[in-house]
């Protein structure tokens, strides 16, 4: 049997506890960015291409379970076990708003138009905050049947999807009525749900299965059994021909979308993989693990050495300089600069 090619990753240190969520911004005039959530209470912002650390958002007093950036990468949001969701200035690192909840917050997501922030968690309530009137009371959707694990917007902010910690299925909510209009049925709890960049597919991970759903008609398009329980899956955004999945076997697997055949298996993490996400251009993907590291892998493993050489020969530096102009003035914590 042909040996599966493995990629050599960029390893990003800095978190002192498990990394539980990753989010890439779209491509902006300043490049694209990667934000990570960790149980160490400190979300971190990085250059999405090089993995270089830009800054740490300091202020949470409990594990951070979810994080996101708005489409312009000007604001960040985080959801925490300290019963709050916070919004941050992604240029300076300043805390802009703190939205108090009555229980652990597990999910947060900016709307596509950037004006709204969605949160959900152990309270079993999805809330929508108006970023133009942050002091106003949030809008609450109908009660969720279980504790909210994931939440996302799609259909130009007309639909919200959510999954629960304690039951299977993905629920689709009509934003206008605040009611559930459809449930995508799964046997196990959905630990990861992603709407594809082109809006065609919803990618879910539940137990040892990765599923792809038609995001407009909601039928099941593909379902593949994985080699182990997987916690996260992500579809390549440009051609949609590959997807990655990570879970309890510590490896990051790459599969063919059309056949489900495993193309590559990346080893390197020393703990279960909690999250995987493709970069917006599809040329690389990131994984976050129980071991506290983020690893950025090149999709085309055959060219991994070339890519690494290019990175070492100044490509990365250019990226960093671009980003530096964007984030001048970001608060740099004295002990935070652990990149080595």
């Amino acid at each position: 049997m042909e040996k599966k090619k493995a990629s050599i990753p960029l390893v990003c240190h800095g978190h002192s506890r498990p990394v539980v969520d990753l989010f890439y911004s779209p491509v902006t005039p300043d490049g694209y960015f990667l934000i990570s959530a960790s149980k160490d209470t400190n979300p971190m912002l990085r250059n999405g291409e090089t993995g270089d650390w830009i800054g740490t958002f300091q202020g949470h007093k409990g594990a951070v379970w979810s994080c996101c950036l708005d489409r312009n990468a000007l604001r960040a949001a985080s959801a925490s076990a300290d019963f709050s969701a916070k919004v941050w200035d992604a240029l300076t690192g300043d805390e802009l708003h703190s939205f108090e909840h009555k229980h652990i917050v597990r999910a947060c997501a900016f709307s596509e138009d950037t004006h709204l922030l969605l949160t959900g968690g152990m309270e079993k309530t999805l809330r929508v905050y108006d970023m133009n009137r942050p002091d106003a009371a949030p809008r609450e959707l109908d009660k969720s049947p279980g504790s909210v694990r994931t939440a996302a917007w799609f259909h130009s902010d007309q639909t919200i999807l959510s999954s629960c910690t304690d039951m299977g299925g993905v629920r689709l909510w009509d934003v206008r009525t605040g009611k559930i209009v459809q449930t995508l049925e799964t046997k196990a709890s959905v630990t990861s749900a992603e709407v594809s960049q082109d809006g065609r597919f919803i990618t879910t991970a539940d137990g040892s299965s990765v599923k792809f759903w038609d995001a407009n008609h909601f039928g099941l398009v593909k379902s593949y059994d994985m080699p182990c329980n997987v916690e996260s899956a992500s579809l390549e955004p440009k051609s949609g021909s590959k997807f990655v999945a990570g879970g309890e076997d510590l490896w990051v697997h790459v599969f063919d979308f059309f056949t489900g055949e495993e193309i590559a298996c990346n080893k390197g993490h020393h703990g279960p993989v909690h999250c995987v996400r493709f970069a917006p251009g599809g040329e690389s993907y990131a994984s976050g693990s129980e071991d506290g590291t983020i690893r950025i892998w090149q999709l085309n493993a055959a060219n991994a050495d070339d890519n690494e050489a290019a990175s070492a020969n100044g490509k990365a530096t250019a990226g960093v300089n671009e980003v530096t102009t964007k984030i001048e003035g970001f608060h740099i914590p004295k002990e935070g600069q652990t990149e080595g």
Side-chain angles (χ1 to χ4, degrees):
M1 183 174 147
E2 185 191 348
K3 185 175 178 290
K4 296 187 180 79
K5 296 189 177 75
S7 173
I8 300 167
L10 293 165
V11 183
C12 308
H13 298 280
H15 285 297
S16 57
R17 298 284 314 283
V19 177
V20 291
D21 193 28
L22 293 169
F23 183 94
Y24 276 104
S25 76
V27 177
T28 76
D30 297 299
Y32 61 92
F33 299 86
L34 175 65
I35 188 171
S36 53
S38 167
K39 291 184 185 178
D40 67 7
T41 78
N42 296 317
M44 287 188 180
L45 186 68
R46 297 177 183 276
N47 177 321
E49 184 180 1
T50 65
D52 287 316
W53 176 83
I54 292 170
T56 302
F57 300 100
Q58 295 185 309
H60 278 299
K61 294 180 172 62
V64 175
W65 286 107
S66 175
C67 58
C68 60
L69 294 160
D70 70 15
R71 64 178 305 145
N72 305 310
L74 298 177
R75 286 175 302 185
S78 51
S80 172
D82 66 8
F83 294 18
S84 79
K86 293 184 186 291
V87 176
W88 313 82
D89 185 320
L91 302 183
T92 65
D94 291 331
E95 183 181 311
L96 299 177
H97 310 292
S98 185
F99 300 119
E100 301 309 312
H101 293 63
K102 296 185 183 73
H103 212 313
I104 291 167
V105 192
R106 287 296 302 258
C108 60
F110 281 111
S111 59
E112 204 175 308
D113 67 10
T114 76
H115 296 315
L116 304 171
L117 179 72
L118 171 67
T119 68
M122 303 286 272
E123 278 183 85
K124 305 184 180 180
T125 302
L126 287 166
R127 291 187 175 89
V128 177
Y129 293 87
D130 186 340
M131 292 290 96
N132 299 317
R133 297 186 305 133
D135 297 329
R139 182 180 167 213
E140 295 188 357
L141 277 61
D142 274 8
K143 207 76 176 163
S144 168
S147 296
V148 177
R149 171 74 187 254
T150 65
W153 302 82
F154 64 118
H155 291 164
S156 303
D157 302 332
Q158 299 302 302
T159 311
I160 283 170
L161 68 78
S162 70
S163 70
C164 297
T165 313
D166 35 15
M167 63 182 65
V170 172
R171 276 140 210 96
L172 306 174
W173 307 73
D174 184 319
V175 173
R176 284 161 297 193
T177 64
K179 297 191 182 306
I180 296 171
V181 291
Q182 183 104 11
T183 300
L184 311 180
E185 298 292 351
T186 65
K187 285 181 185 165
S189 167
V190 171
T191 49
S192 167
E194 174 192 78
V195 180
S196 64
Q197 199 168 280
D198 61 8
R200 288 178 59 204
F201 296 109
I202 298 167
T203 305
T204 61
D206 70 292
S208 59
S209 166
V210 172
K211 295 181 174 68
F212 299 92
W213 311 80
D214 185 312
N216 297 303
H217 306 292
F218 308 127
L220 182 62
V221 179
K222 303 268 186 193
S223 179
Y224 294 121
D225 290 329
M226 296 287 105
C228 68
N229 277 345
V230 294
E231 205 170 323
S232 186
S234 184
L235 182 63
E236 191 277 310
K238 288 303 180 191
S239 67
S241 61
K242 298 181 178 73
F243 68 95
V244 292
E248 65 182 20
D249 69 356
L250 285 52
W251 301 341
V252 182
H253 303 269
V254 186
F255 298 93
D256 184 294
F257 170 78
F258 301 103
T259 65
E261 181 187 353
E262 185 170 346
I263 300 164
C265 177
N266 296 311
K267 303 178 182 182
H269 281 299
H270 303 292
V273 177
H274 294 308
C275 42
V276 291
R277 284 293 176 261
F278 263 103
E283 69 290 336
S284 63
Y285 50 95
S287 56
S289 165
E290 183 75 18
D291 66 16
T293 68
I294 299 161
R295 291 170 190 258
I296 298 176
W297 314 82
Q298 294 299 321
L299 182 60
N300 189 349
N303 297 333
D305 295 339
D306 301 345
N307 290 339
E308 195 133 321
S311 218
N313 291 330
K315 186 175 167 194
T317 319
V320 177
N321 290 342
E322 286 164 23
V323 173
T324 309
T325 59
K326 176 180 174 66
I327 50 81
E328 221 169 300
F330 202 115
H331 299 322
I332 297 176
K334 291 189 178 75
E335 67 283 344
Q337 284 196 64
T338 48
E339 258 304 310

